[in-house]
Amino acid sequence: MQTSDDQIIRAWAERPGRHIVNLSGGKDSTALAIFLRGKIPQLEYLFCDTHKELPETYEYLDRLAAYLQRPIMRLNAERGFDHWLEMYGGMLPSARVRWCTRKLKIEPFEYFVGDDQVWSYVGIRADEERSGYVSTKPNIQPVFPFKEFGLKLADIERILEDSGIGLPSYYEWRQRSGCWFCFYQRSGEWVGLKERHPELYEQAKAYESKRDGEQFFWRQRESLAELERPERIAQIKAQHAQRLEQERRQRPDQPLIELIGAALDAEDDERGCDICHL
Ligand code: SF4
């Protein structure tokens, strides 16, 4: 950090209002919390808990709180996922109708801060195109430190490594934070869920239903019952291994974790949720 960068952060810290980092349990928002540690003394750390997060996410947040030596406030939506699923007539959320993010992440946060002036620090990196969570409420203003200081993926990984926090452990099989049933998961990640957390896979499967003649699946192409057939799992694994090998050949010096991410993106690079996957 150069002096002018320090000056910018000091000027941010002097702004009247609340200063908040919304954590997702993912690497970028975690790195942001570490990056800002001690620089903005009044910083608040929040996590909007859907109660459908992976155990690894809760463990990662606990480790982060210990590192920060500050509590991470967990906001819970007044009514949880199951209530809203009922309200939406059993229609599972999807990329097109993403009611889960609004009901379980955005609304609890906006309700919590009310009309307070808020500076909301967002972990979008300088090498990303997406905009992250930008509230429509004028009292909530986003701040993008990584963009401001040109910090890219390698910088984020370095911040995490230097702190000793590292990447979330679910990165070995899944590259995005968020609910264990998130519909943004790629085939290989669903297989990872089945193998690492078979009970959660079963619960995700139980959410799939047929109502009034309409099928509600997490994935458009196939149900989770279809995906877990041994021959289908073997096919998904073979395709993933093929993509991984291709990535390895093209970029032999990249760490495995990045190659796994690239192999997953090669199946489906839809960027995911700007709020949950940070
Ligand atoms: S992680 Fe996925 S399922 Fe969960 S709230 Fe976010 S978009 Fe919805």
Side-chain angles (χ1 to χ4, degrees):
M1 289 279 301
Q2 295 147 9
T3 313
S4 60
D5 295 349
D6 287 337
Q7 282 167 347
I8 291 172
I9 297 184
R10 264 203 299 277
W12 287 346
E14 283 165 13
R15 288 164 165 169
R18 298 173 69 177
H19 295 250
I20 297 178
V21 175
N22 250 314
L23 296 157
S24 69
K27 70 177 187 329
D28 294 326
S29 60
T30 301
L32 182 62
I34 294 167
F35 176 76
L36 294 175
R37 176 187 178 220
K39 298 185 178 111
I40 301 179
Q42 68 274 48
L43 202 57
E44 297 172 56
Y45 302 95
L46 296 186
F47 173 63
C48 290
D49 191 351
T50 64
H51 289 289
K52 306 290 181 186
E53 313 280 340
L54 290 164
E56 294 94 318
T57 301
Y58 294 118
E59 182 265 337
Y60 194 56
L61 288 169
D62 287 345
R63 280 202 292 129
L64 176 64
Y67 175 84
L68 297 171
Q69 297 190 322
R70 296 281 302 279
I72 295 172
M73 173 170 282
R74 293 190 183 181
L75 292 186
N76 300 307
E78 206 170 304
R79 294 166 193 274
F81 180 85
D82 296 336
H83 166 82
W84 290 112
L85 180 63
E86 218 30 61
M87 291 294 103
Y88 280 87
M91 181 185 67
L92 293 174
S94 64
R96 269 189 308 118
V97 188
R98 198 157 29 112
W99 56 258
C100 47
T101 317
R102 170 141 296 280
K103 294 296 174 194
L104 303 174
K105 295 274 178 182
I106 297 175
E107 289 183 2
F109 173 65
E110 293 187 345
Y111 180 76
F112 173 72
V113 300
D115 294 328
D116 294 349
Q117 170 66 54
V118 169
W119 303 99
S120 172
Y121 294 81
V122 184
I124 301 284
R125 305 188 310 263
D127 54 354
E128 291 184 293
E129 291 301 327
R130 57 186 180 152
S131 57
Y133 161 65
V134 178
S135 176
T136 51
K137 293 185 75 180
N139 56 313
I140 302 176
Q141 294 293 319
V143 187
F144 300 98
F146 291 158
K147 278 197 177 295
E148 175 79 32
F149 301 119
L151 299 186
K152 301 179 181 172
L153 180 60
D155 301 301
I156 273 54
E157 288 172 345
R158 181 183 37 78
I159 291 170
L160 292 171
E161 204 175 306
D162 290 351
S163 69
I165 297 281
L167 290 166
S169 59
Y170 59 72
Y171 254 63
E172 290 165 13
W173 57 278
R174 169 179 161 154
Q175 298 259 317
R176 291 169 177 164
S177 48
C179 307
W180 38 262
F181 50 48
C182 185
F183 46 85
Y184 281 117
Q185 285 175 99
R186 281 70 63 95
S187 309
E189 294 171 315
W190 280 111
V191 171
L193 181 70
K194 181 164 175 61
E195 291 182 342
R196 308 278 177 140
H197 298 288
E199 71 297 346
L200 296 181
Y201 189 91
E202 284 306 307
Q203 288 180 46
K205 203 166 69 173
Y207 275 116
E208 296 193 321
S209 67
K210 192 174 184 178
R211 289 200 195 189
D212 306 325
E214 223 185 316
Q215 295 274 14
F216 296 112
F217 296 156
W218 292 110
R219 298 157 53 83
Q220 290 195 341
R221 295 185 297 274
E222 66 186 342
S223 69
L224 294 187
E226 288 166 325
L227 184 141
E228 70 176 345
R229 285 176 298 126
E231 62 276 23
R232 176 68 178 124
I233 288 186
Q235 183 193 36
I236 291 168
K237 283 183 164 181
Q239 286 169 343
H240 181 69
Q242 212 173 8
R243 292 189 194 106
L244 191 58
E245 188 46 39
Q246 207 169 348
E247 294 295 335
R248 205 190 311 255
R249 259 187 272 118
Q250 283 168 358
R251 300 180 300 151
D253 40 357
Q254 288 298 308
L256 178 63
I257 217 94
E258 283 193 22
L259 297 176
I260 292 174
L264 288 166
D265 284 349
E267 177 198 329
D268 173 5
D269 66 352
E270 192 173 2
R271 67 185 186 186
C273 174
D274 280 354
I275 296 166
C276 305
H277 305 147
L278 255 183

